[in-house]
Structures are given as C-alpha cells and as structure tokens.
Amino acid sequence: MATVPYIREIIQDGHPTLRKVAKKVTMDELGDPLFQQLIDDMFETMYHAPGIGLAAPQVNIGKRLFVVDLQDDDDDHGPLVVVNPKFTVTDGEVPSIEGCLSVVGMIGDLTRFERVVCSGLDRDGKKIELEGTGLFGRCLQHEMDHLDGVLYIDKAKNIRPAVTEEEKEALAQTEAEVAALANNAEAATV
Ligand code: NI
C-alpha cells in the first residue's frame, strides 16, 4: 500500500546537518520503501514551502540526493530526483541572486557556472544526465552545494532581506525590473 507523503521540517542555518558532507546513497538504500517515501516527502515539502529545489540535508537526512521542479520553466526540468549527483562539465560564469529555504527571508549575490552537466541516478537507480543552464543550472549548483555542507551565504555578497511587498510595488515600474524581480523571487526559494 502506498503511503501518503508528508511535509517534513526544513532545518535552518545553524543546524549541524547542513554543514556536513552528505553520504553516498547505496543501491540497497534506494530500494528501501522508506527511502522512496523520503523522496515523496521531499517533493511534498518543497511544493509546500514553496520552492524549486530541496536537498536531503535540508530535511535533516545526510544523504546525497536532491529534488528539483522547474516544470513551469521547461518540461524537461521537473519533477526530478537526482541521487549521487556529480558534475561532469562546468562552463562559464553567470551572476546569480539566490535565497535558500534553510536561510529564510534572505537573498544574496553570487557567481555560478553558466552551464553544468550533472550525472547521477533517478529514484529507480537508472543512470541520468541533465544539462543545466539559466535558472535550472543555477538550481542544480545550489542543491549540489547542500550535499557538500555549503550554503549560498558562504559564497554570496550583499546578503540582505528579500524585498517587501511595498518595495515590489515601487519596483514594478518597468518590465525589465518586474522580470528581474520575478527571477529573483523564483531563485529565492531553492
Ligand atoms: Ni538551499
């Protein structure tokens, strides 16, 4: 009988699990119904937050997997589970504005690779390879950092509170700013 996924607690900066290098997932673990439940719970937790990515350490599980869903952006970008991810290609540099569900309410500026190729396993243990550019590529890098005990605030400059509703209204004067703000809002939830 399938179990109902539930929303797990997202741990916050200062919790030791967020600072540990997560352990590789074994095939035995992956085949365990409790591990499959963890994956379902991670999706449920991410959608509830809401966010576009969530790594296992953020729900206090020190294992190398994350979930991502940017399906609104592109059909190929979610919902995805990546187990034991590894970057096989990292290319270029792009500025990124990010936030994190484990550092609530804050955003910061950092530099990410422009393009990454990420290989790993899906939830059935099948090999997958994902190419990421744009928001998807930055999201993959943010989640990968979580598996190595790294938070974006370790790399970011100008860490600041996310904009308030009033600031959003004031900003909503040009299309470009609105678009930039929309991107920030999306990025501010990984
Ligand atoms: Ni995060």
Side-chain angles (χ1 to χ4, degrees):
M1 199 179 98
T3 44
V4 179
Y6 72 96
I7 296 159
R8 301 205 183 193
E9 185 194 350
I10 297 175
I11 59 174
Q12 295 298 306
D13 183 27
H15 193 295
T17 301
L18 289 174
R19 293 313 193 166
K20 284 181 187 147
V21 176
K23 293 195 168 71
K24 210 173 157 181
V25 178
T26 66
M27 288 308 272
D28 277 355
E29 282 172 327
L30 198 52
D32 186 333
L34 285 176
F35 202 89
Q36 293 293 318
Q37 167 89 40
L38 165 68
I39 293 170
D40 291 339
D41 292 350
M42 284 173 63
F43 276 113
E44 195 76 2
T45 305
M46 176 179 72
Y47 293 138
H48 178 259
I52 56 173
L54 187 75
Q58 294 183 275
V59 291
N60 202 12
I61 304 288
K63 293 288 171 181
R64 301 190 77 80
L65 77 149
F66 58 73
V67 295
V68 173
D69 194 346
L70 271 81
Q71 219 177 346
D72 292 344
D73 191 40
D74 187 313
D75 277 354
D76 291 341
H77 296 165
L80 291 165
V81 186
V82 194
V83 177
N84 298 337
K86 213 170 111 180
F87 289 144
T88 52
V89 177
T90 54
D91 254 351
E93 272 189 7
V94 281
S96 184
I97 300 172
E98 295 179 20
C100 180
L101 294 174
S102 294
V103 189
V104 163
M106 306 299 285
I107 55 170
D109 304 318
L110 61 157
T111 303
R112 293 290 191 188
F113 295 115
E114 188 176 16
R115 171 177 166 265
V116 293
V117 177
C118 179
S119 68
L121 303 174
D122 69 9
R123 66 186 301 163
D124 301 317
K126 207 178 88 202
K127 278 185 186 156
I128 51 169
E129 190 173 76
L130 305 166
E131 180 170 354
T133 56
L135 181 59
F136 182 58
R138 290 184 283 132
C139 183
L140 291 174
Q141 293 171 71
H142 179 110
E143 300 312 328
M144 184 73 97
D145 275 351
H146 275 300
L147 305 185
D148 293 324
V150 174
L151 298 176
Y152 85 91
I153 49 174
D154 304 342
K155 301 177 168 181
K157 289 179 190 162
N158 190 21
I159 298 161
R160 57 200 184 273
V163 289
T164 63
E165 283 307 309
E166 297 84 73
E167 283 172 323
K168 280 183 191 174
E169 272 182 27
L171 267 175
Q173 291 165 354
T174 70
E175 289 294 321
E177 279 167 339
V178 173
L181 198 65
N183 280 334
N184 296 355
E186 250 187 320
T189 50
V190 287

